[in-house]
């Protein structure tokens, strides 16, 4: 289970794991990461979701800010495993 991205503490019941495969278009490096998807209602009563990475950092989506850990490139393709 993931930590609560709103408080940074405790586990969030109902977090759903989601795996992505990343491929850098600059250097060709390929890696995989598992994120915990957390669904909740924000303070303005909007239903939303956040992703929590393997290091416990919350983000809106791993699809928008992927950076290659090898070369630092931002031209990264993101797919589902096997895709």
């Amino acid at each position: 289970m993931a930590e609560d991205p709103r408080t940074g503490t405790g586990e969030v019941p109902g977090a759903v794991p989601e795996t992505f495969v990343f491929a850098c278009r600059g250097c060709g490096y390929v890696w995989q990461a598992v994120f915990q998807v957390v669904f909740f209602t924000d303070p303005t009563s909007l239903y939303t979701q956040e992703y929590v990475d393997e290091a416990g950092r919350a983000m809106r989506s791993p699809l928008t800010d992927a950076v290659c850990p090898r070369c630092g490139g931002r031209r990264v393709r993101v797919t589902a495993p096997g895709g």
Side-chain angles (χ1 to χ4, degrees):
M1 294 214 167
E3 285 191 358
D4 188 328
R6 296 161 291 174
T7 64
T9 61
E11 293 185 349
V12 177
V16 178
E18 192 166 335
T19 303
F20 294 98
V21 176
F22 300 85
C24 180
R25 293 183 179 184
C27 71
Y29 184 64
V30 176
W31 70 101
Q32 180 172 302
V34 178
F35 295 83
Q36 298 297 319
V37 184
V38 181
F39 300 93
F40 60 92
T41 303
D42 73 10
T44 63
S45 299
L46 293 175
Y47 187 71
T48 188
Q49 68 186 38
E50 285 192 349
Y51 291 82
V52 180
D53 69 10
E54 294 166 331
R57 294 176 298 232
M59 63 184 64
R60 285 287 175 203
S61 171
L63 307 176
T64 58
D65 286 325
V67 177
C68 177
R70 180 186 282 168
C71 73
R74 294 189 152 285
R75 291 179 42 222
V76 177
R77 186 181 76 224
V78 184
T79 61

